[in-house]
């Protein structure tokens, strides 16, 4: 199949929520939810925190699999560490996902930018990789968090004038957090939308 | 075209984010973002707050249009009230949306359940409607907030043990809010995922 990330709804410059599966030198499989930045039609970047099996396995094997799914169960199990052996296919993808692609590492760098508000930048590596194969089981658009953040922000926006001071402060905190996420993972449409909502909030006299 | 909401990714029992367009008796068009519950292959329910043009127009005209789009700009403009005349087609849909469907009102009831944490139940009507026509310009899945809520909750979950007490309380508030949204709009998969995350948080000793 043609190798083009656009086939699974990934656009250059936007980050998508995926589950990365890896193996160690003894072929023990591991899964973890990781944000993947599409940097071209067949290249991706991902920032992976040190201390976990995903980074360890990628550094030792120089290859990994990116699984695309909208199954909340698979994301939950791979986050809390309960994805069992039975969930993995022999080719190290996760059974039943809509699509997956295979990657080979091009380069590994120390993270130089802070992208996470909690963890330190020196705790991560940025992995640049080339997509070597794409398998599509079902037509799918990889999930990008930005549109949902805009919708959540708009839902709060309609309630700003109905709530008390504590809740207003909470909504402002939420606005800042959604802005951060949209700036990190979104496209220009979502960034522009957040800018317009900000203007409206400023007009209403809120400090952002 | 066959009338089946499943054609635009709407499943029975789940609620989707849409923009509803209406006209008044003088044919003045209006747009507002409204959550639409799919109650069957050709029926929907929507809870619409009193005091706005959408409810007024639906009650007087007994028909309306539901627009399906992932364009953050259209959602933003229709929320802050800046959608201009040029955005509307002559058939009262919004230009450029992926799909839209026409509805006729079957029944109007006073809301009997509280579904919004801020507004009172007696400030809303629940409108049951029949879908009379579907127009699909581009293949699209109507947007449901639940999957995004699960992903946001998982992102916070991975940071719970890295943050101080204030941020932990914020994450717990976020967890409760996402649970509320998922219970209201989501399917059984998303509800189950939130249940599993809750179990893990309880195991860690957090009070939810």
């Amino acid at each position: 199949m043609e190798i083009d990330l656009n086939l699974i709804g990934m656009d250059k410059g936007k980050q998508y929520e995926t589950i990365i599966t890896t193996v160690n030198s003894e072929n023990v499989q591991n899964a973890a939810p990781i944000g993947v930045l599409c940097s071209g039609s067949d290249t991706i970047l991902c920032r992976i925190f040190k201390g976990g099996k995903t980074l360890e396995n990628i550094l030792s094997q120089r290859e990994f699999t990116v699984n695309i799914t909208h199954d909340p169960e698979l994301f939950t199990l791979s986050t809390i560490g309960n994805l069992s052996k039975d969930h993995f296919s022999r080719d190290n993808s996760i059974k039943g996902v809509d699509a997956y692609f295979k990657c080979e590492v091009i380069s590994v760098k120390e993270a130089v930018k802070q992208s996470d508000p909690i963890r330190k930048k020196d705790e991560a590596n940025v992995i640049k990789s080339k997509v070597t194969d794409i398998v599509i089981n079902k037509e799918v658009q990889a999930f990008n968090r930005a549109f949902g953040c805009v919708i959540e922000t708009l839902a709060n926006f309609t309630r700003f004038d109905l709530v008390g001071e504590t809740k207003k402060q909470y909504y402002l905190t939420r606005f800042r957090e959604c802005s951060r996420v949209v700036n990190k993972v979104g496209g220009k449409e979502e960034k522009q939308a957040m800018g317009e909502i900000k203007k409206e909030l400023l007009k209403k006299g809120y400090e952002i």
Side-chain angles (χ1 to χ4, degrees), chain A residues 54-95:
Chain A
T54 300
L55 185 59
E56 197 181 304
N57 292 349
I58 289 177
L59 295 180
S60 77
Q61 304 303 307
R62 312 293 290 185
E63 60 177 31
F64 57 95
T65 305
V66 179
N67 298 272
I68 306 298
T69 175
H70 285 204
D71 182 341
E73 176 80 355
L74 290 178
F75 273 97
T76 303
L77 292 179
S78 60
T79 303
I80 62 184
N82 288 344
L83 209 65
S84 73
K85 231 174 159 179
D86 294 343
H87 282 95
F88 291 91
S89 295
R90 285 180 61 184
D91 70 356
N92 299 328
S93 65
I94 299 173
K95 287 179 191 163

Side-chain angles (χ1 to χ4, degrees), chain A residues 157 161 195-208:
Chain A
F157 179 83
D161 298 331
E196 280 158 25
I197 303 169
K198 185 175 177 172
K199 256 190 230 161
E200 291 300 310
L201 288 172
L202 289 171
K203 263 194 222 167
K204 285 174 182 279
Y206 296 112
E207 278 178 42
I208 298 173

Side-chain angles (χ1 to χ4, degrees), chain A residues 88-119:
Chain A
F88 291 91
S89 295
R90 285 180 61 184
D91 70 356
N92 299 328
S93 65
I94 299 173
K95 287 179 191 163
V97 294
D98 296 328
Y100 61 93
F101 56 91
K102 296 277 178 183
C103 290
E104 275 175 19
V105 174
I106 298 173
S107 70
V108 178
K109 288 184 177 159
E110 293 294 315
V112 291
K113 251 175 54 188
Q114 186 85 27
S115 85
D116 187 293
I118 307 298
R119 294 189 257 205

Side-chain angles (χ1 to χ4, degrees), chain A residues 175 179 182 189-202:
Chain A
F175 177 84
S179 288
V182 168
E189 294 83 2
E190 291 89 5
K191 289 175 190 170
Q192 194 180 318
M194 291 301 286
E196 280 158 25
I197 303 169
K198 185 175 177 172
K199 256 190 230 161
E200 291 300 310
L201 288 172
L202 289 171

Side-chain angles (χ1 to χ4, degrees), chain A residues 154-169 171 201 204 206:
Chain A
L154 288 171
N156 290 343
F157 179 83
T158 61
R159 296 193 185 124
F160 249 98
D161 298 331
L162 304 170
V163 298
E165 194 50 39
T166 311
K167 196 85 183 175
K168 273 199 177 73
Q169 289 306 320
Y171 285 166
L201 288 172
K204 285 174 182 279
Y206 296 112

